Amino acid sequence: MSYQLYVTGGYGFTERVLPSLLHPSDAVSIAQDYFSRGYQGAHIEPPPDGGYRALEQSSSSERQAILNALQSGQLVLGRLDSAAFGIFTDRTASPEHLRSDLPAPLANRLRDRWPTGAIGGPAVRSDSLHAPATQNYPLTPEPVAEPVPGQGPYSLTIEYHWPDGTGVANLPFEVGTDLESVTGVLDHRGAASVEGLNGRFATVRLGSSATDDMVRQERKAIIAGLQRLLEQERKDTEARETVYQQMPRYEKALVNTGAVFQGAYDAGIGLFDFVVGVSDLAHPTKTLMDGLKSAWSANQDNGANSWYESFNSLYDDKRRERWVRAIGFSPSDISREDIAKAYELASLIMTDAQLSAALKDFVTDYAAIQHHTEYAYIGGAIAFELVLAALLAATTLGAGNAAQASSRIRHGRILAGLGPAFGRFAEALKLQGLRKIWRDFDLNRKKRFEAEASPRPKGVDPDPVQLSTRPGKVLPRSFGEAKKLLADARNSIIANGKAPSPKYTQEQLHQIAQEGFADEKFIVRLVEEPHVHRNGPLNGTLGKEGPAGVQIWSTSFDQIAHLDTDPKLITEAMGVNYKPDARYKLAIIDQANAVKYADAETIVPTYGNLKKFVEDKLPGKVENPALTREVMTPEYSREYEALIKGMPEDAWNDPLGRARYLRQKGLSPEEVKAFDTRFSIQSNTGANEHYTGNGLTKTISSSADQPVYGAVEAFSLHKSPKTFRQMTGMDGGTQWVELVDLEPINFGA
Amino acid sequence: MAHPKLPEWPIIDPNNPPSGYLEVACVMDPELTSAPWHFYVSGNHLLIVRKKWVQFDENDPGEFVSGQYEYPIGAARWFLATLDRFFLEPDHPNAVPRGEITIEEDVDGETLGVTRGAQYGSVLKGIPGYSLDNLNRFEHTSFGPSTNWCQMFKMGDPWLFEHGLLDVFKDIAERHERGEF
C-alpha cells in the first residue's frame, strides 16, 4: 500500500486528494509503524513540495518532525489506492462533513480556503521504485448504504499460535474498519471469528497497545525501586558502622556481631559468596542452573501450558529441591510449576535491555556497598537469580508478603519487595511481545489472518560474565583513605560474623604477580608490636623480624584491604602462623616516598625477578652467573627444600654448622656450590625454602600437592634501616609509613 | 663480572694462632653465640676467623669447624666510610647511587665491597644487615673453598649498631692509623 504526504495547503493539496486523506491520528500511527519497522509492501512518498528527501534516507530528527507535523495537521497523509474519507464524517468530501477533531492548521485551512482542483496538480515522484504514480480518484464518492452494526457483508478469521502449533490463548484483539471497531479475546485455540463487518478495509490488532505504557511504567517503577534499595542500603551500612563505632572497645572485641547483624548483612555477604560460588564451574548451584536452562531451551518453542508440562517432566523433583534450597527457599514452598512460571517471567525480564542493564548495575553497586570493593561487573546470572527469587517470593508468599520474605530466603530477599512489580512488568512484556498488526487489508481479498508467535526468549546463560573479569583494585590516595577502607572492611566483616571470601581467584593472583603492583601507592607489611618499639618508642625498623623460619615479605594494600585490621585474617592470607598472644601492627608504606627517602627496592619475588635482582645488583660477587639461573627453578627448589628438611637449627643458622651438615650429607663440590648459591640468594633476598617462585604466598591451608595462594608478595629492601619515628615523620621529616593497630575480631565459637 | 681470585689463605686456629698474628678483637655475634669471631692482624691484612665445635646430637662424634675472611688492613676504615654512604640521603652526591645495593672499590690492591642484604643478620629471623666483601677471595671453611661466591662477612644491623661491632671496626682503624700494627 502506498501513501502520499502533503503539506497542508501546499503543492498537490487539491480538492481531488481530499477523499484520500487519513485522519491525523491514523496518519501518525501509520508513519510510526513505517519508520520503526517498515511496512511490508508499503511506501510513503514525501511531500511534493521542495526540500523533502525520500523517507528511507531521512534522519531520526527529520522523522520526528514529520510525525509532529502530521499530529498538528501541518502535514497530511493520503492513501494512493482508495478513498479513506478519514477527515470527514461522511463519505462526502465537503466542508459540511469535516470532522470536528481535526487539528487547527488543517481545519482552518480547509474552512477558510477550500482547496480546488486547479492548485498544483498531481504529485508525481517518478524517481521512486516503490511509489506508483499518483492516481486520479473519483471525485464523486460511491454511494454507500447506511451501515448496520454487525450486519455488514465482510468477515474475517484470526489464528495465532506458538511455533509448536498450540494456540496463543486469551489474547485480546481489535478489528477496526472505517465504519466500526470490534474487540474480543482469542479462544483457547488462539482463534477468533468476526462477521458482519461493514468496512471493506480492516486493520487487525492482536494484543493491546496499552501494554507499551504498562511496560514503560513498570520498568520506570522498578528502576526507581532499585535506586531506593541502594540508597537504603547505604544508609543502613552507615548506621551499622556508627552503632559499632559507639560500642565500648571491650564490647567490640567480645560481641559476636555475626549474631547481631547476621540478618542485615546476610544477603549481601551471601550474594558475594554466591558470586564466588558460581564462578566455580564445579559449584552445585551452577549445575542446577544448567538443568533449568536445559529444560527451558528444550521447550523454547512450546506454548504456554505445554511448556509447563514439558518442564515438569524434564526437571525432576530432586533437582527442584536442591535448586530451591540453593537459593534459600524451603522445597515445600515452591513447586516445579512455580519455578517454570517464574523462570519464564525472569527470562522475559532479562530480555529487556534497559532493565537488564539496570539490574546488573544494581547488583554490582549493592555488592560494592557491602564490601567496599570495586567489582567491574558481576554478571547477568546473579541479577537473573535475584529476579527469579523475587518472583518466587511474590508467587509463593503472596505479593503482600514478598517484602517481608527476608527471614526466609537469602539472596532473593534483596529484591523481594519488587517481586510483584517484576511480575507485572514481565506479564506486560509478554503481551507486548505477542502484539501483531495487519493494517488496512481489503477484506474482499484476505479474510484469514494467521500468524505464529515468536519463540520464547532464550534462558539466561548461567555463566556469570564476571568469571573472566578481575575485581577492581582498591587504590587509596592517602593514609587517611587507606585507614578508612580498612575500618569499613572491618565493620562489614564484624557485621557478617565471618571472614570474607578471597577477593581474587588463584588465576587472577598469578596474573597480578606477573604484572606487579608498581601502579599501587601503598604496600603493607605485618609487624609484631615489640619490634616497632625496639630500642625505645617507635625506634624499631621495618626489617626486623619475622617468626622463625617464615619469611614475611610485604604485599600490596589492595591485597589485604578486604581483610580489614584483623591480624589473624592477614597472617593467614600472608601464609604466616598467627600467634594469638602477639600484638601486631600493619605498616602501610608509601611506595613512591620509600623510594624517594630510602631508595627502597621493591619487586614481586618471582624466580625471574629474583634472578634479575641478583644478576643486576651483585654481578661481581659470583664466579658463575649461570649457577644463579640454575638454582632459581622449581626443580632446584625441591632439592633445596629436601636438603634443608631435617637440617639441625644450629646448622641452618650458623655457617660453620651448615658447612659440616652439607659435608655429612655427602654432597659433591658442585652440589655444595649450588647449595651455597641458593643460600646466598636467600640471605640476600629472604627467598627461603618455602619460596614458591611465582610471587605468591601459600596460605596455611596449603598442602604440598594442592597449594592455595593467599596474596601476591613484595620483596622490599631498604638501603639503610629507618626507624618508625623517621618513617612516620615524627622526627620532622616526610611521613611515608603509617602504623595501624591490628585488633582480632572475635567471631565466637 | 667475576674478579680474579687470590690463592686461599690458610685458615688459622684462633686458639693457637701462628706467630705474627695479632688478635686485635674478639666479639660475639648475638645471633651466633656458640663461638666468637676473632679479629687478627697479620702484616697488612685483617683476618676475621671463627672456630666452633659442631656436634649435632649425641650420636654425632663432632668436630671443630672454622671459617675465615681476609682483607687488606685498610678495609676497616674503608668499611666505616663506605657504610656511611648507605645512610646519606639518596640524592646526596656521595650516597650509594640510586638502585644500587653494593659499593665496590679497590683497597690496597684488592677489590672490596659493602653490600646491603635482607637477611645478613639471620636467615632464621630475617634480620637485615651489611656485608664486608672481598671480591678477590672465595668463601672458605676448614672443609675448603666454595668456589662460586666471593667472601662476604655478613653482619646484622643489631650487631653492628647496637652490640658494638661498628666500634670494633673503628677501634681497629684508629689503632692501625696510630701505627700500633
Side-chain angles (χ1 to χ4, degrees), chain A residues 551 617 621 654 660 676 684, chain B residues 50 60 99 119-120 146:
Chain A
Q551 173 58 35
K617 307 294 182 188
K621 315 291 187 193
D654 191 317
R660 181 161 184 271
D676 285 345
N684 277 286
Chain B
R50 181 165 172 260
D60 180 2
Q119 295 192 337
Y120 285 179
S146 177

Side-chain angles (χ1 to χ4, degrees), chain A residues 140 275 299 308 462 686 692 706:
Chain A
T140 308
V275 169
N299 297 281
Y308 299 135
T692 59
Q706 288 188 315

Side-chain angles (χ1 to χ4, degrees), chain A residues 534-535 543 549 551 595-596 599 617 621 623-624 650 652 654 660 663 673 676-677 683-684 718-719, chain B residues 50 52 60 63 97-100 102 104 116 118-120 124 126 130 133 143 146-148 150 162:
Chain A
R534 207 166 53 88
N535 301 328
Q551 173 58 35
V595 171
K596 185 174 178 184
D599 194 20
K617 307 294 182 188
K621 315 291 187 193
E623 194 73 6
N624 178 12
D650 185 40
W652 178 231
D654 191 317
R660 181 161 184 271
R663 187 179 177 84
K673 208 187 290 186
D676 285 345
T677 299
S683 174
N684 277 286
H718 292 176
K719 211 167 270 183
Chain B
R50 181 165 172 260
K52 71 172 278 188
D60 180 2
E63 66 182 313
R98 280 192 176 277
E100 301 294 335
T102 187
E104 294 167 358
R116 179 67 170 162
Q119 295 192 337
Y120 285 179
L124 207 58
Y130 297 87
D133 316 324
F143 296 126
S146 177
T147 56
N148 192 35
C150 71
E162 297 161 27

